[in-house]
Amino acid sequence: MAETGITPAEAIDLVVTNVLSDPITLVLVLLGALLVGGASAALGYLSLGATVEQLGSLLPSGRPPGPQERE
């Protein structure tokens, strides 16, 4: 931002002013945030599930292995 001579506070003010003044831009920004947030939440959910499954397989189950599990 040093090349343009705009401080970060001025840049944030310009972005907020433009987003709030144009309804189409506001909808696009919210839709983009929803898509990125949804994808991040889905990936986090899957990663957490895989981690719990891996940790669960490391813990003893408390029962002896069955005939098919001994191999």
Side-chain angles (χ1 to χ4, degrees), residues 9-60:
E10 291 173 336
I12 292 172
D13 184 48
L14 284 171
V15 169
V16 170
T17 302
N18 288 330
V19 167
L20 293 179
S21 65
D22 185 16
I24 295 175
T25 305
L26 178 62
V27 169
L28 289 175
V29 168
L30 292 176
L31 183 62
L34 181 68
L35 289 174
V36 170
S40 298
L43 183 62
Y45 177 76
L46 292 174
S47 299
L48 182 63
T51 303
V52 168
E53 183 177 349
Q54 287 297 317
L55 290 176
S57 67
L58 295 175
L59 298 175

